[in-house]
Structure formats: C-alpha cells, structure tokens
Amino acid sequence: MRDIRSEAGIPLKVSYGPEDLPDPAAIPPPGEFPFTRGNFPDGYRGRVWTLRQYSGFGTPEESNERYRYLLEQGGTGLSVALDLPTQCGYDSDHPDVEEEVGRVGVALDTLADVEILFDQIPLDAISTSWTINGTAAIILAFYVAAGEKQGVDRAKLRGTIQNDILKEYVSRGTWIWPPRPSLRLIADTIEFCAAEVPRFNAISVAGAHFRDAGANAAQEMAFTLMDGITYCDEVVSRGRMTIDEFAPQVSFFFYTHGDFFEEIAKYRAGRRRWARIVRERYGAKEDRSCMFRVGCVAGGASLYAPQAHNNIVRVAYEAMASVLGGVQSMFTAAWDEPFALPSEDSATLALRTQQVLAEETGVTRVADPLGGSYYVEALTDEMEAKVIEIMDDLEQRGGMVKAVEEGYLQRLISEEAFRISGAVASGERPIVGVNRFQTDEEAPETEGYELNEQGRARQLERLAEVKRSRSASDVRATLDELGRAAGAEDINLMPLLVECAKAYCTVGEMVDVLKDKWGEFQQPAVF
Amino acid sequence: MSTPVRVLVGKPGLDGHDRGAKLVARTLRDAGFEVIYLGIRQKPETIAAVAVQEDVRIVGLSILSGAHVALTEKVANALRAAGAEDVLLVVGGTIPKRDVPRLEAAGAAAVYPTGTPLETMVESMRELSADVQAPS
C-alpha cells in the first residue's frame, strides 16, 4: 500500500475505526482536564474566539486611526504591530535605523506615543495583544503607565505581550541581550503581572515563528512547549511564586498551515500535553492553571505569490481548522502578504473571512464537533507522541537555552525548511498555482501600504519635543535606579521600568542601561 | 573548470526573517557556489567590509521588511566606499513589482521578488558571474 503521510511525517491509514480511539480518560468532555476537547464546556457558545487583526503603521496617529476603524468594523481586540527599531530597542532618531522607522509597524519611543496610540480607546474596554519580545517589559511598562493616564487601574488592563525571547534567537531575530538576563526579565514580568496586572497575559509562548521559519507542526508544538517549560522553570525556581499563581497568565501562539486535520490534531494534542506538564512537572492544583490558551495566525509561509488570490481560500481553510482545533483568538492574514504590507481592502477581507466562519458556517454551535472522530483522535495521539519524542531529545541535549546557543534548533529548522522547499520544487507537495495548474499570470500590482515619509519627520519632532519638555533629573534618577537593580539578581525590574516610562524615558535609553549591565546576544550564523 | 564563485549572503537592517536567506545560501552552496553566510541585522558597512575581505563576486541581500530600497542604496554606497564597486549586488525578498526599477537604479544587478523559483535565481547568478568573469 502507498505510504501516505501527514505534513509532519505521521503515517496515515486508509481509514480509521473504533480500535483507533484512545482511552476514554484521555478525551473527557470539553472543559475537563486534560482539555483535549477544549478548555470550556460550552466551546464557542459562551464566547466566540477573539478576532484579532495584526496591524500598526507608521506613526501612532495613523495606527490609532486604523485601530478605531477595526473596532468599528467589529474587531474585538487589538493586535499591535511595532516597527523594528522599537522591537530591537532603538529610538526613532538612532542613525542606523532611519529607513525602518514606522515601516512594519508603529514607532513607539516614549509614553507620549502610547498615549496617542490609544487616544479615545478606553483601555479597560479592549484587550491589546503586542507582538513584542526584546522590549516586551518596556512596552508593558508603557501600557500600565498609559492606563494610569486614562484613569484605568492596572488590575483592569487586558491583553498579551508576546515576551518570548527564546524563539527570537532562533527564528525572528529581535533579540537584544543574551539568554540568561533575558530570562530573568521575562520572569520579572510574569511575577509582576501575577501580582498586579491579573487580567493580562505576561507571555505568549510562540511557536508561530518556528513554523514560519520552516519547522513542521510537531516541531512547532514541541519547541514551544519546551520554551514554556523553560520560562515556568525560571519563575518556579525563584521560589517566590507557585505555578498556580502565574500559570493562568501564560498563553501560547501558533501558525495554522494547510494540512487541515493535522492542524486540528496539533491544537488538541498541545492542550493535552501542556495540561499534563503543568500538573505533573509543577504540581498545579487548579485546573485553570493547566489550560493551554492559544492564539493563532492563519497564513504566513503557507501563502504563495503565484495566483495570489488563492491565498484567500487557503486562509479560510486554515481559519476553519484553527476553530475546529479550539483556539481562543485568531489573526487571518491578507492574501497580498507575500508581496506587501496589506492594504485596507485586503485586511478587511481577512477579517470578514473570520466573521463568515463565526457567523454563517455553524461551526460554533457545538463544542469540539470532531471529538470522538476515529481519525482525529488517532491523529491527536500520534501528534502527541511525536511532540513528546522531540521534547525528550531536547531535554537530553541540555534544554532550550543550550540548543539555541549552540545553533542546534536553528539547524533542525533550516533542515526542515530545505526539505519542504525541495518537496514544493519537485511537486511532491502540491501547491496550486506553483507546481499544479500554473498560469503565466503576472503578480498583481498590489496597492499595499506606502510609507508616509512625513510620518517619520513627525515622529522625530515629537521625540525631540518630549526630550525637551521632560524632567532631565527624573530621567536620570529613574534610569540610574534601573541600572543599579539590573546588577542585582533579586530585584524585580518591572516597577522600575514603569517609573522610567512615567518619566518619559525612551525605549532606547532603557535598553542601553540594561545593555551596559548585560551585554548583547551574539548570533550563531548557521544555515 | 573554474574556481567556485564566492557569494556573500546577508540581511541588512533589523528584519530577522531568515528562512529565505538560509534557503538561498544552502541552494547556492549545493549549486557549486562558495557561500559566506553573515546572518541577520548586519550593518551595510559590515557587509561591505566582509565582501572586500573575502573577495566575493556577488553580495546577496534578503529584505522582507519593506525597507529594501533604502537598504540597497546603503549597501551599494558602502561597497563603493570600500572600493568594491565591481562586486555584483543582488536583492531578494518581499518586493513589490513597482520597486524593481528603483532597486536596479540603486545598483542591484538583479532582483528576485518572493515567488522567484530558486533555479531561476541560481541561473541568473551564474550568468551574472560569468559575464563578470569573461574578460579573464
């Protein structure tokens, strides 16, 4: 018989039957530990997933306008894209980064920018997801301070910072400091959120970027769970907090690509595995701590440039797989993503794709509609077994920090990316428009997003104005305090960063103070 | 019959999406090029300095952030300043069609937007380097 496998290499039978179902204890009703069938007994009946479109452009004024538009169109959460200088810890006036200011996201230099970003958007009424890692702690400090300016108590703030540095070293690249001090800062944010910002996710452990860099679905899940363990170990080892005090504020983030059933199985397997890790490894008492709360993106590297409108269809299928897998929030990519930052039209269409799914298809009527499917349950088991195997390998090699520093993880991912690229080139992996049903059609002229050059000038003016008008002595005092505390291991830096934010210190100033103490990451350039 | 063509592959600017760059590096190596992979977040001056030091024939930039025009100009200028204007500059990444002429004006000998088949890119780089090598 032909050897048919899923994308991650799981061998598939021609059909599945009752003998393939797991032990009933592994698949209790939705809402019960280990949550294979979903976190909530009522699935999406109680609350549909959060429709969250990643966007952010140019200046805080432009982004604010886009956010208010998205909220008016029925978006239920914001997802902030930041420009690369902000993500890497450079101010907009840094000479090395001028062409990047405001380009892939919004430029934030000081609290003044954040105040404008959320002008007329009440921070106690929305949730905000930030794709921010290297400077996540600083952005959290800005958000807390911006809330205060609006009169919103930090306990009411909702949202997520990605704050997952390990995958940045491997696949996304917005690192600043080396792993050790970075882990310390992440643990500081987790403790701070648990104690003071209880409705805010302190971390969104992200497999998405492993995936987009080439990892398959099983690797994506395994690497991500290993990162989750690394962060939880860091907090627990301090001995100041139990797992039940902070685990409910740990969330996860993945890409959904094209292998429909494998993606569904991935989310189900991940939920079960994480629940068991949190209970068995850390002794969690509360079920809530064991929940695997997941956001996802449909699109990314699963989209192709030739016959680009096909991407609309791909994203729609991926979105449906995500929902059948039980995700809590979703971003659907725009069809023109392979060419350009999305236009307003393509971004709106991407949002509508989710709305049609939520409102018209009926998939939200029943919790975990595929639960008990011979195939889906068997594939969930297979996926979990594969994830465990990959995690064991990494544990035996000394854990994630070591794997990252040595470039081991980078090599695994490049290997897989190379394999996939070969499979697409040879036609072994069919992609319509690329290696099947090709046409000569030229890539469409995309409207895309044109960077507003005036925006950069305005951003620089505002930064100069803030620097002129702030209290120089407050800036010096708060930065000095931050530097002193960074040199001591047992002081939580978050309250100090909030003070820096309120003194209108810039992102670059805070980052540089910490660089002086901690140094910078040195990348292993392997391919 | 010939010594392998030396290529430097790197990413200027702050964009860290290196799947394409690594794939290109590996494909070129397998196609017989000698590849120096610099990694991400490289300054234009560093790229130029390594290009000179390693005596490469081609510098390949991968840029997905949208900053391709400005970064290509900067690297071209840095190469000129380092006395390496004869080095061929090629650029790939998330590049809208309308920007291809702008990149060529900035000094790119070839542009490979997303969706360019790898073999097309390899063939193009072979031809470019053969043209350069022809006089000797």
Side-chain angles (χ1 to χ4, degrees):
Chain A
M1 204 157 59
R2 274 180 70 201
D3 179 35
I4 303 275
R5 290 171 182 263
S6 74
E7 272 188 23
I10 296 169
L12 301 177
K13 304 204 288 190
V14 68
S15 73
Y16 288 79
E19 69 281 8
D20 298 305
L21 284 177
D23 179 57
I27 44 170
E32 288 183 24
F33 182 92
F35 306 109
T36 315
R37 303 195 53 205
N39 290 337
F40 309 107
D42 56 354
Y44 295 117
R45 272 198 196 185
R47 196 174 134 201
V48 80
W49 66 91
T50 304
L51 290 69
R52 201 190 287 282
Q53 296 303 89
Y54 185 59
S55 67
F57 296 93
T59 59
E61 288 89 347
E62 288 174 275
S63 285
N64 174 263
E65 204 176 304
R66 175 67 78 104
Y67 294 158
R68 286 194 279 146
Y69 172 79
L70 284 171
L71 292 171
E72 280 162 22
Q73 296 303 305
T76 52
L78 296 177
S79 176
V80 183
L82 294 165
D83 73 353
L84 286 164
T86 307
Q87 294 190 49
C88 296
Y90 299 100
D91 291 335
S92 296
D93 58 2
H94 192 289
D96 287 348
V97 301
E98 55 180 353
E99 62 279 346
E100 315 253 22
V101 173
R103 194 174 280 281
V104 299
V106 60
L108 300 181
D109 292 310
T110 67
L111 178 58
D113 297 328
V114 183
E115 290 166 28
I116 294 166
L117 191 65
F118 294 109
D119 183 38
Q120 299 175 61
I121 301 174
L123 293 183
D124 51 356
I126 54 146
S127 81
T128 309
S129 167
W130 301 83
T131 303
I132 188 68
N133 295 279
T135 49
I138 293 169
I139 293 297
L140 174 61
F142 281 158
Y143 201 62
V144 168
E148 265 176 44
K149 291 262 170 182
Q150 283 193 3
V152 174
D153 189 89
R154 56 182 74 171
K156 287 189 178 154
L157 297 175
R158 285 184 300 131
T160 303
I161 41 174
Q162 197 164 74
N163 203 18
D164 169 5
I165 201 67
L166 288 168
K167 64 94 176 52
E168 293 293 325
Y169 298 127
V170 174
S171 62
R172 193 169 170 276
T174 67
W175 32 257
I176 302 171
W177 312 288
R180 281 307 325 158
S182 296
L183 282 175
R184 176 251 174 118
L185 188 55
I186 289 167
D188 284 355
T189 58
I190 293 175
E191 282 185 348
F192 177 75
C193 284
E196 301 191 30
V197 203
R199 302 178 72 192
F200 201 91
N201 293 317
I203 189 164
S204 170
V205 190
H209 310 92
F210 296 133
R211 190 67 184 283
D212 233 28
N216 63 42
Q219 289 174 320
E220 178 192 31
M221 182 57 69
F223 299 165
T224 309
L225 296 181
M226 282 297 291
D227 280 349
I229 286 175
T230 310
Y231 298 127
C232 288
D233 281 356
E234 182 75 20
V235 178
V236 167
S237 70
R238 294 177 166 194
R240 298 202 282 249
M241 223 169 233
T242 66
I243 189 82
D244 287 308
E245 287 172 275
F246 69 89
Q249 283 162 284
V250 175
S251 67
F252 294 85
F253 184 66
F254 297 91
Y255 257 110
T256 305
H257 282 180
D259 189 336
F260 192 79
F261 287 105
E262 183 170 85
E263 293 297 336
I264 295 167
K266 176 183 82 181
Y267 290 118
R268 300 173 95 253
R271 259 196 312 272
R272 181 156 76 206
R273 188 87 304 261
W274 183 248
R276 290 190 169 147
I277 289 167
V278 174
R279 177 137 298 161
E280 289 159 17
R281 185 178 179 112
Y282 301 110
K285 294 187 178 67
E286 312 266 354
D287 275 0
R288 213 164 75 91
S289 309
C290 305
M291 279 185 194
F292 187 64
R293 288 158 319 111
V294 170
C296 75
V297 189
S302 68
L303 305 187
Y304 289 84
Q307 299 179 11
H309 285 103
N310 296 350
N311 292 329
I312 300 168
V313 183
R314 293 189 179 109
V315 166
Y317 285 132
E318 291 168 359
M320 184 175 269
S322 309
V323 166
L324 295 175
V327 302
Q328 275 67 60
S329 78
M330 177 155 45
F331 162 67
T332 32
W335 64 270
D336 50 0
E337 198 182 70
F339 315 102
L341 292 173
S343 66
E344 191 154 300
D345 278 350
S346 66
T348 305
L349 178 61
L351 175 63
R352 297 285 181 248
T353 305
Q354 290 196 55
Q355 289 167 335
V356 170
L357 183 60
E359 303 285 337
E360 297 183 20
T361 64
V363 290
T364 59
R365 287 177 193 145
V366 170
D368 189 33
L370 296 180
S373 148
Y374 305 139
Y375 174 38
V376 170
E377 295 299 354
L379 197 58
T380 302
D381 287 355
E382 295 270 6
M383 179 56 78
E384 189 181 7
K386 218 171 167 68
V387 166
I388 291 172
E389 187 187 316
I390 299 167
M391 292 176 75
D392 285 349
D393 171 54
L394 287 163
E395 289 254 28
Q396 276 157 23
R397 287 171 178 275
M400 284 309 258
V401 172
K402 189 146 173 279
V404 166
E405 284 173 341
E406 290 175 352
Y408 176 64
L409 214 59
Q410 291 88 322
R411 268 195 301 279
L412 289 181
I413 292 171
S414 299
E415 282 295 322
E416 191 66 8
F418 193 67
R419 197 186 63 75
I420 293 167
S421 158
V424 172
S426 73
E428 180 196 329
R429 176 177 293 198
I431 308 288
V432 172
V434 175
N435 58 26
R436 298 284 196 284
F437 318 111
Q438 299 99 308
T439 45
D440 291 333
E441 79 183 56
E442 288 268 304
E445 271 304 343
T446 43
E447 196 187 321
Y449 169 79
E450 270 290 319
L451 187 69
N452 174 0
E453 292 292 341
Q454 288 164 349
R456 183 173 162 265
R458 193 153 30 131
Q459 185 65 21
L460 291 178
E461 267 169 41
R462 180 164 46 241
L463 178 54
E465 172 55 31
V466 168
K467 283 183 175 173
R468 270 194 303 274
S469 59
R470 64 188 186 176
S471 153
S473 60
D474 285 359
V475 169
R476 208 174 317 111
T478 52
L479 288 175
D480 283 352
E481 192 60 35
L482 177 66
R484 267 196 299 278
E489 267 293 325
D490 55 348
I491 301 174
N492 190 312
L493 298 182
M494 272 314 303
L496 302 173
L497 287 170
V498 174
E499 289 310 309
C500 290
K502 291 196 320 208
Y504 291 90
C505 298
T506 69
V507 170
E509 288 164 346
M510 293 183 250
V511 163
D512 286 346
V513 163
L514 298 177
K515 262 188 200 169
D516 284 346
K517 294 282 175 195
W518 295 343
E520 282 183 75
F521 177 66
Q522 303 299 319
Q523 60 176 318
V526 292
F527 71 92
Chain B
M1 59 162 223
S2 56
T3 52
V5 176
R6 280 197 160 189
V7 184
L8 182 155
V9 176
K11 287 178 64 69
L14 300 177
D15 152 42
H17 292 85
D18 56 4
R19 179 178 185 157
K22 286 177 169 176
L23 198 57
V24 162
R26 188 149 172 180
T27 303
L28 290 173
R29 189 184 65 193
D30 290 358
F33 290 79
E34 196 174 307
V35 178
I36 295 146
Y37 179 66
L38 265 192
I40 66 171
R41 289 172 62 175
Q42 298 298 323
K43 289 187 180 188
E45 297 74 31
T46 311
I47 292 173
V50 176
V52 169
Q53 192 188 327
E54 300 284 341
D55 194 24
V56 302
R57 180 93 59 218
I58 305 176
V59 166
L61 307 178
S62 166
I63 307 164
L64 282 73
S65 63
H68 39 270
V69 175
L71 287 170
T72 301
E73 281 168 0
K74 281 192 171 180
V75 174
N77 289 339
L79 283 170
R80 259 193 300 278
E85 50 274 285
D86 57 328
V87 170
L88 294 161
L89 189 58
V90 300
V91 186
T94 313
I95 294 164
K97 255 196 313 188
R98 62 165 180 262
D99 285 346
V100 172
R102 293 163 74 185
L103 290 175
E104 286 168 351
V111 180
Y112 311 118
T114 318
T116 307
L118 285 166
E119 61 267 35
T120 309
M121 178 204 69
V122 168
E123 213 34 60
S124 155
M125 286 173 71
R126 277 210 183 104
E127 278 169 25
L128 285 173
S129 55
D131 288 348
V132 175
Q133 278 174 321
S136 65

